[in-house]
Amino acid sequence: MHKKKYIVLFLLLALIAAVAVGCGDNTEQPPAGEDDNGDELVFLTSEELVEESCSQCHSLDRVYREREDWSQFTDQMLDFSPDLLNDEEYQQVIEYLEENFSS
C-alpha cells in the first residue's frame, strides 16, 4: 500500500515540476501573425504590394508600362519615398514587375 502512495506522490511531484518548467520561460514571443507591438501583420501578394505602394503617388497605368530595368525605375521612385518598401518588399516588387511587365 505504501508503494502506491509513493508512486502517486512521485507522479504528482513530476507533474508539478513539468508544469513549473514549462511556465517558467518569460521570454514570450508574439503569436504568428502579430508584430512586436501586437499589431496584426498583413501579408500582401506581390500584385497587392505593387498596387498599394505605387498608387500612393500615381496611377497604376503609369506603373504597369513595360520597362527594361525595373530595379533602376523602382530605385528612382524610392528616392522620393525611401520608407515605402523594406528590403524584402523591394525584392518582391522587382520580381513581380520583371515577370509580368518587362518587354
Side-chain angles (χ1 to χ4, degrees), residues 67-79 85 90-91 93-95 97-98 102:
R67 303 190 190 283
E68 293 297 319
D69 189 359
W70 281 107
S71 296
Q72 181 181 4
F73 179 73
T74 305
D75 288 343
Q76 290 172 350
M77 297 299 106
L78 289 174
D79 286 342
L85 302 171
Y90 172 84
Q91 192 61 41
V93 164
I94 297 300
E95 289 173 8
L97 294 172
E98 286 176 347
S102 289

Side-chain angles (χ1 to χ4, degrees), residues 42-56 60 64 84-86 88-94 96:
V42 177
F43 297 100
L44 301 176
T45 66
S46 298
E47 182 179 10
E48 292 170 332
L49 183 59
V50 167
E51 289 177 358
E52 183 177 295
S53 300
C54 301
S55 67
Q56 292 182 26
L60 290 175
Y64 291 138
L84 192 60
L85 302 171
N86 64 35
E88 186 179 313
E89 292 169 332
Y90 172 84
Q91 192 61 41
Q92 186 179 350
V93 164
I94 297 300
Y96 171 76

